[in-house]
Amino acid sequence: MAYGLDIGGPVSGYRMIEGLPLETDIATGEAQGGDSRRFQLLVDAIDDYAIYMLDATGVVSSWNPGARRFKGYEASEILGQHFSRFYTQEDREAGVPQRALAIATSEGRFEAEGWRVRKDGTRFWASVVIDPVRDEAGTLIGFAKVTRDITERREAQQALRESEARFRLLVQSVTDYAIYMLDPTGHVTNWNAGAERIKGYRSEEIVGEHFSRFYTEEDLAAGLPARALAIAEAEGRYEKEGWRVRKDGTRFWAHVIIDAIRDDTGKLVGFAKITRDNTERRELEERLRHAQKMEAIGQLTGGMAHDFNNLLQAISGCLQMIGRGGDKRRNARLVEAGMQAVDRGTKLIQQLMTFSRQRQMDVEPVDLRNALLSCIGLIKQVVRSDIEVTLALPSGVWPVQTDPVQLEVALLNLAANARDAMPAGGRLVLGAENVSGWDGRTDAVRVYLSDTGGGMPPEVVARAFDPFFTTKATGKGTGLGLSQVYGFAHQSGGAAWIDSAVGTGTTVSLILPRAADAPKGSQVSPQASAPRGTARILVAEDDPILAPIIGSALEDLGYNVTHVPSGQEALDLILAGRDFDLLFSDIVMPGAMNGLDLAREVKRLRPSLPVILSTGYSEEPAAQHGYQVLAKPYRIEELALAIGNALEAA
């Protein structure tokens, strides 16, 4: 430790204190010559250091104000006394003063820290430097001694060490968290007890190793460890959850925090890493989600059962009445009512499958004016006679890009909710208006349904789009209606929201993007007369109720039908050389070969044989492979039309 004091050379040579030359008489400690006054002023001005001289035996020969300030002795009290009186009793008994002078004499300098004693007997922690002073012949003639009181600094350092010790004890005592440090390259530099408990490595096994060994193989392949450090360095902090690997190879679900550590200059010196094993919490959350899912499924099942029982009752009643006979006009009305019940069931299934993402939306340009004019009639059938239904449809409404079936389902859902919100009757308005740049760049049309019902409080509005959420009594709804509306709008590339307050009614708005292309022309009505034919058709259908109905319907149209209950049996007939003009197969069938596998094999063996598939699930996978697909339930007319078109194109 340097204090700017350099004592050395001949007794009358140059001395230097903070760059000031002087000549000093070692025997008296008094400055000689023209610089004596300046030297005396300098030494007297220093009160942070005790600067004084000793003779060759250790007797004090000079004394400055700094020595007087923190040692307490006046010059008259201490000059001629041995410097050992500043040492503690234990240091004097151990010969520390003599050893200090001996070291200074032999090594040219003595420097140490230790306790010293003031005049009043109190102790202070001193930093001491002793330099030997020799004459021109090299003979030792005394010592220059500089002492500084560094008690406060020592106390601060001691407090810091104690704080660090307490912190280390705290960190090492934590067993619920892995707390450790990384160097700037990601290598582990220390390890606490929690890290050993959670990850299984002892300190000597892991210190010096790269922290990436805790990551899974897939995360390593994706470069996640390096990305985590890069984010922590750039943003100051990285936080994430994911799978980590213990020493024994087992995985645990970890919550990880990495903080960048920088020095006073801002230089990165490493990372602090805290990891917690959240496997139990994650498993608990999974069990809770499963319980909630089962509760939701129970609610869904109740609502679906209610709706389907109504549909089945309608179909059953129609069939029973037809079975009793009657005139053709009455039976035709009953058949039409039964088909309407089937159509309602079809839309309910489509709603459920769209919600479960088992059915993709069939998005196309839709003439919104025609769609709403068509839907208004259905809405009037859904609501009661005490509800007035009006259509607010200005001219020039743009076509929209959406799924027309799902649009109809969404509006019917909204109409049913509005009906239930107006038990005493009211007014329902279906409308639309063009919206230029609704999101700042996209033109769209707002389709809305407004009712004059009781309205909803804010907490209900906030949850109204949640799946399975309903305010209706058990069995009065599935809780899927508004969630289907919300999902439909967003899958169309738009949005949905609700404006409502208690006592002011409710308006549900759907934003649908404007179509860039013109809507398609009208399609052939599925209720048109079914085309007849004489072709040989192989039907692969495993359902024992549906299969004979399909066979009988096609035979009534003149076709020669062969039925098998599995894909493998259908393939066996083709391999055996049986000649068919068309294959009609269900996609989902028992056994190793489903309908899609069967279609692939038939195309390989007989490329010219037309294939039509049907499914009660999503038709997207099969359609993506180029096959014509009929979604169940379908009308016999639709099946006959598809067969006629396929045979004509073959």
Side-chain angles (χ1 to χ4, degrees), residues 583-597:
L583 168 65
F584 177 60
S585 174
D586 190 12
I587 290 179
V588 179
M589 286 188 294
M593 178 170 288
N594 60 31
L596 191 54
D597 295 332

Side-chain angles (χ1 to χ4, degrees), residues 12 77 82 88 100 125 138 164 199 214 222-223 238 294 298 314 342 350 379 459 491 493 499 509 592 607 633:
S12 296
E77 296 177 291
H82 198 271
T88 63
W125 189 259
E164 290 174 345
K199 303 198 178 189
F214 309 134
Y238 172 84
M294 294 307 295
V342 172
Q350 288 175 339
I379 289 177
E459 61 272 17
Q491 287 182 28
D499 296 305
S509 298

Side-chain angles (χ1 to χ4, degrees), residues 254-329:
H255 176 260
V256 176
I257 297 175
I258 304 176
D259 286 296
I261 307 298
R262 299 182 181 277
D263 62 16
D264 293 339
T265 66
K267 179 183 177 182
L268 180 72
V269 296
F271 300 92
K273 194 166 187 298
I274 301 176
T275 302
R276 186 173 190 184
D277 183 353
N278 279 348
T279 308
E280 290 186 3
R281 191 203 71 186
R282 186 173 189 268
E283 291 174 349
L284 179 61
E285 290 174 349
E286 287 291 335
R287 289 196 293 270
L288 177 60
R289 279 194 292 268
H290 180 71
Q292 292 172 335
K293 179 181 177 181
M294 294 307 295
E295 180 182 359
I297 289 175
Q299 183 177 0
L300 172 64
T301 303
M304 294 290 286
H306 173 268
D307 290 346
F308 270 108
N309 280 334
N310 286 343
L311 297 176
L312 292 174
Q313 180 60 53
I315 296 171
S316 174
C318 291
L319 293 175
Q320 291 177 59
M321 293 179 68
I322 292 172
R324 293 175 181 174
D327 61 71
K328 287 186 176 182
R329 293 183 63 185

Side-chain angles (χ1 to χ4, degrees), residues 270-533:
F271 300 92
K273 194 166 187 298
I274 301 176
T275 302
R276 186 173 190 184
D277 183 353
N278 279 348
T279 308
E280 290 186 3
R281 191 203 71 186
R282 186 173 189 268
E283 291 174 349
L284 179 61
E285 290 174 349
E286 287 291 335
R287 289 196 293 270
L288 177 60
R289 279 194 292 268
H290 180 71
Q292 292 172 335
K293 179 181 177 181
M294 294 307 295
E295 180 182 359
I297 289 175
Q299 183 177 0
L300 172 64
T301 303
M304 294 290 286
H306 173 268
D307 290 346
F308 270 108
N309 280 334
N310 286 343
L311 297 176
L312 292 174
Q313 180 60 53
I315 296 171
S316 174
C318 291
L319 293 175
Q320 291 177 59
M321 293 179 68
I322 292 172
R324 293 175 181 174
D327 61 71
K328 287 186 176 182
R329 293 183 63 185
R330 188 199 71 156
N331 286 348
R333 290 195 302 271
L334 291 173
V335 168
E336 182 58 30
M339 292 306 301
Q340 288 179 359
V342 172
D343 289 342
R344 286 182 58 194
T346 299
K347 290 174 181 177
L348 186 58
I349 290 296
Q350 288 175 339
Q351 171 188 342
L352 182 61
M353 292 181 68
T354 299
F355 173 77
S356 66
R357 302 187 185 277
Q358 293 295 319
R359 179 182 181 274
Q360 298 297 318
M361 289 181 58
D362 186 11
V363 177
E364 62 183 60
V366 174
D367 185 331
L368 195 55
R369 185 175 185 84
N370 290 341
L372 296 189
L373 286 170
S374 174
C375 194
I376 197 75
L378 295 173
I379 289 177
K380 289 180 178 179
Q381 295 179 26
V382 169
V383 301
R384 300 182 307 275
S385 59
D386 58 355
I387 296 176
E388 178 189 357
V389 180
T390 59
L391 182 63
L393 190 60
S395 60
V397 173
W398 296 324
V400 294
Q401 191 77 12
T402 190
D403 183 329
V405 174
Q406 290 302 310
L407 172 61
E408 184 178 293
V409 171
L411 294 177
L412 291 178
N413 277 327
L414 295 178
N417 283 345
R419 175 200 61 203
D420 296 341
M422 297 183 288
R427 186 165 179 261
L428 183 63
V429 179
L430 171 63
E433 61 179 3
N434 295 336
V435 182
S436 298
W438 74 274
D439 60 352
R441 61 183 184 278
T442 307
D443 288 342
V445 178
R446 182 176 80 98
V447 179
Y448 60 90
L449 207 68
S450 296
D451 66 58
T452 57
M456 295 182 284
E459 61 272 17
V460 174
V461 172
R463 294 195 60 196
F465 285 134
D466 290 353
F468 308 116
F469 176 76
T470 180
T471 58
K472 299 176 183 178
T474 302
K476 296 299 183 181
T478 63
L480 285 177
L482 285 176
S483 67
Q484 181 272 334
V485 171
Y486 181 86
F488 156 71
H490 281 265
Q491 287 182 28
S492 295
W497 66 84
I498 299 173
D499 296 305
S500 184
V502 175
T504 64
T506 299
T507 298
V508 181
S509 298
L510 307 179
I511 288 288
L512 301 176
R514 180 181 182 180
D517 301 322
K520 298 178 182 178
S522 60
Q523 303 295 319
V524 177
S525 171
Q527 299 182 20
S529 299
R532 302 179 64 83

Side-chain angles (χ1 to χ4, degrees), residues 83-396:
F83 85 110
S84 60
R85 71 160 48 192
F86 307 135
Y87 284 75
T88 63
Q89 180 66 32
E90 52 269 30
D91 281 351
R92 288 199 300 270
E93 292 175 354
V96 173
Q98 292 77 14
R99 191 159 58 250
L101 295 184
I103 292 173
T105 301
S106 62
E107 299 182 8
R109 186 182 184 85
F110 173 81
E111 186 171 359
E113 292 184 4
W115 288 112
R116 296 295 184 269
V117 182
R118 297 185 179 93
K119 177 184 176 182
D120 62 6
T122 60
R123 295 187 177 192
F124 66 97
W125 189 259
S127 172
V128 177
V129 177
I130 303 176
D131 284 297
V133 180
R134 300 181 184 275
D135 62 15
E136 294 177 352
T139 301
L140 178 71
I141 59 175
F143 300 90
K145 194 168 186 297
V146 180
T147 303
R148 189 177 187 187
D149 182 355
I150 58 171
T151 306
E152 290 184 2
R153 191 188 74 182
R154 182 180 185 273
E155 289 174 349
Q157 291 174 339
Q158 185 67 22
L160 178 61
R161 283 192 293 269
E162 291 175 358
S163 175
E164 290 174 345
R166 286 194 299 270
F167 178 74
R168 284 194 298 270
L169 179 61
L170 172 64
V171 169
Q172 286 300 324
S173 300
V174 172
T175 58
D176 287 340
Y177 293 84
I179 303 175
Y180 54 99
M181 305 292 292
L182 307 176
D183 68 15
T185 64
H187 291 82
V188 178
T189 59
N190 57 41
W191 199 244
N192 82 322
E196 180 175 340
R197 185 187 71 82
I198 293 172
K199 303 198 178 189
Y201 294 94
R202 297 190 305 277
S203 177
E204 58 269 23
E205 295 177 296
I206 202 64
V207 170
E209 299 293 328
H210 199 271
F211 86 112
S212 58
R213 70 160 51 193
F214 309 134
Y215 284 73
T216 63
E217 290 184 3
E218 49 269 33
D219 284 348
L220 289 173
L224 186 58
R227 190 159 64 249
L229 294 187
I231 292 173
E233 181 177 359
E235 302 180 7
R237 183 182 181 87
Y238 172 84
E239 185 171 1
K240 199 169 182 64
E241 290 193 354
W243 290 110
R244 295 295 183 270
V245 183
R246 297 186 178 93
K247 178 183 176 182
D248 62 7
T250 59
R251 295 188 176 194
F252 66 99
W253 187 257
H255 176 260
V256 176
I257 297 175
I258 304 176
D259 286 296
I261 307 298
R262 299 182 181 277
D263 62 16
D264 293 339
T265 66
K267 179 183 177 182
L268 180 72
V269 296
F271 300 92
K273 194 166 187 298
I274 301 176
T275 302
R276 186 173 190 184
D277 183 353
N278 279 348
T279 308
E280 290 186 3
R281 191 203 71 186
R282 186 173 189 268
E283 291 174 349
L284 179 61
E285 290 174 349
E286 287 291 335
R287 289 196 293 270
L288 177 60
R289 279 194 292 268
H290 180 71
Q292 292 172 335
K293 179 181 177 181
M294 294 307 295
E295 180 182 359
I297 289 175
Q299 183 177 0
L300 172 64
T301 303
M304 294 290 286
H306 173 268
D307 290 346
F308 270 108
N309 280 334
N310 286 343
L311 297 176
L312 292 174
Q313 180 60 53
I315 296 171
S316 174
C318 291
L319 293 175
Q320 291 177 59
M321 293 179 68
I322 292 172
R324 293 175 181 174
D327 61 71
K328 287 186 176 182
R329 293 183 63 185
R330 188 199 71 156
N331 286 348
R333 290 195 302 271
L334 291 173
V335 168
E336 182 58 30
M339 292 306 301
Q340 288 179 359
V342 172
D343 289 342
R344 286 182 58 194
T346 299
K347 290 174 181 177
L348 186 58
I349 290 296
Q350 288 175 339
Q351 171 188 342
L352 182 61
M353 292 181 68
T354 299
F355 173 77
S356 66
R357 302 187 185 277
Q358 293 295 319
R359 179 182 181 274
Q360 298 297 318
M361 289 181 58
D362 186 11
V363 177
E364 62 183 60
V366 174
D367 185 331
L368 195 55
R369 185 175 185 84
N370 290 341
L372 296 189
L373 286 170
S374 174
C375 194
I376 197 75
L378 295 173
I379 289 177
K380 289 180 178 179
Q381 295 179 26
V382 169
V383 301
R384 300 182 307 275
S385 59
D386 58 355
I387 296 176
E388 178 189 357
V389 180
T390 59
L391 182 63
L393 190 60
S395 60

